Amino acid sequence: MSKKKIVLTAMISILCGSMLTVLAAGVFLRSMGIYGDDVIRLFGVMKFIQSRYVDAPDTSTLVDGAIDGMVASLGDPHSVYMPPEMFRTLRQQTEGSFGGIGVTMGFKDGTVKIISVLDGTPGEAAGLRAGDEILAVDGVPTSELPSEEVALRIRGEVGTQVTLRILHDGAEQDVTITRDVIQVHSVRGVMLDGTTIGYIRIASFAEHTGDEFAAEMARLGEAGMTSLIIDLRENPGGLITSCVAVAEQIVPAGPIVSVINRDGDTEVYRSHLEARKYPIVVLIDENSASASEILAGALQDTGAATIIGTTSYGKGSVQAVMPLFHDDGLKLTIAKYITPNGRSIDGTGITPDIVVERSPQDTTDVQFEAAKKYLEERSEEHTSELQSPLI
């Protein structure tokens, strides 16, 4: 074979290989619902920016912006692209410790409100209270920031300061707070004085919440607990696996929650508990969200607890967190969930069995007192039944 034919054959082989590669890429992109004109638009704009923008841009920054824009276009407040620092903050929060001020925030209707303040934290020392609205962080209005960035700006290196503009009881004030290490113990329990009623507060569903709850249940049981108040007020949710770990200890055998993806595939989390051990009252409010609503909904639907308080937040979706390649991450809504009775509470929330409203004029925790009274009355009825003579 002549040299010319060898070269020609090689060129044809390369050309055919390139065409096959392009065709394969086209088939792959079409399988994802991406077509040629979309690819040309995306990479065309990127190339134009790279070649003509007045300052040479960083390619990774352009890609970050493209990902951020894709997620933002979904219009879902619970789906977000997280740059490295934001992603690291999220991981620290679920793992149990971080540098911050010790408050949990809720994001609704364009506002940022404090929904809980951890005991013994800089936030508590500064006088922050549940219900306070955060208007600005270090002079930047929260209305101009994505929700995850608000949290990111408030957290930071231990020993540094952050200034919050707070709206409290109709008055604005600037509060400067020094950040500290925040150790998140998501569960704490006590025996109520002079009673056999146990009280367990679950602040969030973090990595070790299930184990912490089991330890508190055992400790209170040894102390003589005969009934239980579970306080889920101002609980923003957290890990569904931790919520299920708690539910397995108090929800009777059967479904806890069903998670349904967009194809209709359903994953059912179940309890295998033979029977509940104690009468239970659960406290919820408008800031009880996500995993806390899953637990309250399961207890309500199975009749394992009486729910007292006000209607919960109404977040009936499930997010998956996916690490990316540059220490960044993506939090994406991948499914919705329904309670054991088939209720979707997204946008509506859990309605309590007994509605007890709170007001700024209250001198006591009226919801807590209602829960305590409810269990005391049931205990008295049970004792009366045991002491009644047979006739």
Side-chain angles (χ1 to χ4, degrees):
M1 183 180 294
S2 68
K3 189 174 182 179
K4 184 180 292 187
K5 286 184 178 181
I6 293 173
V7 173
L8 181 60
T9 301
M11 291 179 63
I12 291 173
S13 297
I14 292 171
L15 181 60
C16 289
S18 299
M19 290 176 65
L20 288 172
T21 301
V22 171
L23 288 172
V27 170
F28 174 72
L29 291 171
R30 281 195 296 276
S31 72
M32 298 174 63
I34 301 173
Y35 295 93
D37 56 344
D38 291 325
V39 175
I40 291 171
R41 284 195 306 142
L42 176 62
F43 288 100
V45 169
M46 183 173 174
K47 185 64 177 176
F48 185 65
I49 292 172
Q50 287 175 317
S51 62
R52 300 296 300 275
Y53 183 62
V54 63
D55 296 315
D58 177 73
T59 300
S60 292
T61 301
L62 293 179
V63 173
D64 291 346
I67 297 172
D68 188 29
M70 280 191 286
V71 178
S73 72
L74 300 174
D76 175 17
H78 307 302
S79 295
V80 62
Y81 167 68
M82 294 174 287
E85 190 173 353
M86 188 183 296
F87 186 50
R88 183 166 56 253
T89 297
L90 175 69
R91 293 176 62 184
Q92 289 172 340
Q93 183 176 358
T94 56
E95 289 168 0
S97 67
F98 53 90
I101 63 173
V103 303
T104 301
M105 295 171 293
F107 304 88
K108 197 169 188 178
D109 301 327
T111 63
V112 181
K113 287 190 176 181
I114 295 173
I115 61 176
S116 66
V117 183
L118 298 179
D119 295 338
T121 61
E124 183 189 46
L128 300 183
R129 298 290 181 267
D132 289 350
E133 184 177 345
I134 302 177
L135 302 177
V137 181
D138 287 333
V140 180
T142 53
S143 59
E144 299 177 3
L145 300 171
S147 58
E148 295 288 345
E149 190 171 344
V150 173
L152 177 63
R153 286 173 178 260
I154 292 176
R155 296 191 183 102
E157 187 177 346
V158 172
T160 59
Q161 292 186 327
V162 60
T163 299
L164 306 181
R165 176 162 287 272
I166 299 295
L167 179 63
H168 177 79
D169 289 341
E172 295 186 15
Q173 58 179 313
D174 286 331
V175 180
T176 299
I177 307 171
T178 301
R179 300 178 178 96
D180 201 351
V181 175
I182 306 300
Q183 295 287 347
V184 180
H185 298 289
S186 57
V187 181
R188 64 178 180 87
V190 296
M191 290 293 295
L192 302 186
D193 291 341
T195 76
T196 58
I197 300 173
Y199 169 90
I200 295 180
R201 161 78 175 148
I202 306 178
S204 66
F205 290 93
E207 185 175 352
H208 302 293
T209 300
D211 293 336
E212 292 177 12
F213 184 81
E216 290 298 279
M217 284 279 284
R219 186 176 65 80
L220 296 180
E222 292 173 357
M225 176 173 66
T226 61
S227 58
L228 174 64
I229 297 171
I230 299 176
D231 193 346
L232 298 177
R233 293 175 296 176
E234 302 174 358
N235 181 324
L239 302 175
I240 189 172
T241 49
S242 294
C243 171
V244 169
V246 171
E248 288 172 337
Q249 303 174 53
I250 51 177
V251 174
I256 296 169
V257 65
S258 298
V259 178
I260 306 172
N261 68 18
R262 71 178 186 183
D263 295 326
D265 298 327
T266 303
E267 181 178 9
V268 182
Y269 293 89
R270 297 182 178 275
S271 169
H272 301 283
L273 186 69
E274 292 183 2
R276 70 173 186 173
K277 194 171 183 180
Y278 307 105
I280 298 174
V281 168
V282 175
L283 294 173
I284 63 172
D285 66 6
E286 62 277 9
N287 294 314
S288 303
S290 192
S292 60
E293 293 175 292
I294 290 176
L295 182 59
L299 288 165
Q300 186 179 55
D301 281 5
T302 58
T306 299
I307 313 299
I308 293 179
T310 52
T311 301
S312 62
Y313 186 91
K315 180 178 179 291
S317 59
V318 179
Q319 286 69 43
V321 177
M322 182 175 70
L324 301 180
F325 296 104
H326 290 173
D327 296 325
D328 50 353
L330 176 66
K331 183 168 70 171
L332 185 71
T333 298
I334 59 168
K336 294 186 179 295
Y337 68 78
I338 57 174
T339 68
N341 283 354
R343 291 186 293 163
S344 172
I345 57 88
D346 199 42
T348 57
I350 300 287
T351 301
D353 300 306
I354 301 173
V355 175
V356 179
E357 301 280 354
R358 286 185 293 186
S359 75
Q361 287 73 44
D362 292 335
T363 57
T364 62
D365 186 341
V366 293
Q367 294 171 337
F368 170 79
E369 293 298 333
K372 181 181 175 183
K373 181 180 179 182
Y374 179 89
L375 289 175
E376 288 175 335
E377 290 175 348
R378 296 305 174 276
S379 176
E380 290 172 2
E381 290 173 3
H382 180 63
T383 301
S384 176
E385 289 172 0
L386 291 176
Q387 293 176 347
S388 297
L390 295 174
I391 57 174

